[in-house]
Amino acid sequence: MDYKRFGTKILVRLDKGEEIIESLRRLCREADIRLATISGVGALDHVSVGLFEQTTQRYQTKEFSGSMEITSLSGNVTQMKGEVYLHLHIVLTDASYVAFGGHLNMGRIGATAELVIDLIDGQVDRERDEAVGLNLIKLSADE
């Protein structure tokens, strides 16, 4: 991984074999990134994506291997219990040129990825909402 900051933006290059979530968590710790949006493109050779089943409040997970293009990676960086919390979604295409994707659980770079982190001044925490079954952004100041 290599990165360079330009004002409130950080341009990131991930290299073959690196895992997206691990790499971004490490960068967020190193650069003290507490709140940001993330977008990017690239190529993967292995990925795990999830779909949140609202009625059961459980994720269905599916893994894919082979040459895949990241047509869109987007999400955000927040905090939960003092730790970096990444919420990323991904859209991919494979050799059939059919798009698929979901919540990014894991993605191993097959060639490279180019990401932009757009820093936001501040910090937002998350907390578990049992009624929904997810860790939601907490925007209230005193709760």
Side-chain angles (χ1 to χ4, degrees):
M1 172 177 62
D2 201 6
Y3 64 92
K4 186 172 183 177
R5 185 171 177 160
F6 299 90
T8 61
K9 306 219 186 310
I10 299 174
L11 184 60
V12 181
R13 188 197 70 235
L14 297 179
D15 299 315
K16 184 178 176 92
E18 291 185 295
E19 200 284 313
I20 294 173
I21 304 278
E22 267 177 30
S23 299
L24 287 174
R25 272 200 190 109
R26 187 173 68 248
L27 172 57
C28 287
R29 285 188 207 108
E30 286 175 12
D32 195 30
I33 299 169
R34 297 177 177 271
L35 184 60
T37 59
I38 298 174
S39 61
V41 296
L44 299 178
D45 63 13
H46 188 79
V47 68
S48 171
V49 294
L51 170 74
F52 185 70
E53 180 55 55
Q54 297 167 32
T55 56
T56 63
Q57 295 186 351
R58 294 185 190 276
Y59 272 96
Q60 297 176 22
T61 301
K62 187 155 180 150
E63 292 192 24
F64 300 90
S65 292
S67 293
M68 294 168 279
E69 290 286 331
I70 301 170
T71 60
S72 179
L73 173 79
S74 63
N76 57 56
V77 179
T78 55
Q79 301 287 300
M80 186 164 177
K81 297 180 182 175
E83 295 293 323
V84 172
Y85 191 100
L86 295 170
H87 185 191
L88 300 173
H89 285 205
I90 193 164
V91 178
L92 300 151
T93 61
D94 60 14
S96 66
Y97 295 95
V98 174
F100 60 96
H103 178 87
L104 180 63
N105 298 320
M106 180 287 255
R108 185 177 62 212
I109 303 301
T112 190
E114 299 168 349
L115 311 174
V116 176
I117 301 175
D118 194 358
L119 304 173
I120 301 170
D121 186 24
Q123 179 174 324
V124 171
D125 292 313
R126 288 181 177 268
E127 66 181 19
R128 182 83 179 163
D129 183 314
E130 294 302 330
V132 176
L134 294 169
N135 301 321
L136 302 182
I137 291 174
K138 182 180 170 188
L139 297 174
S140 301
D142 298 325
E143 292 185 56

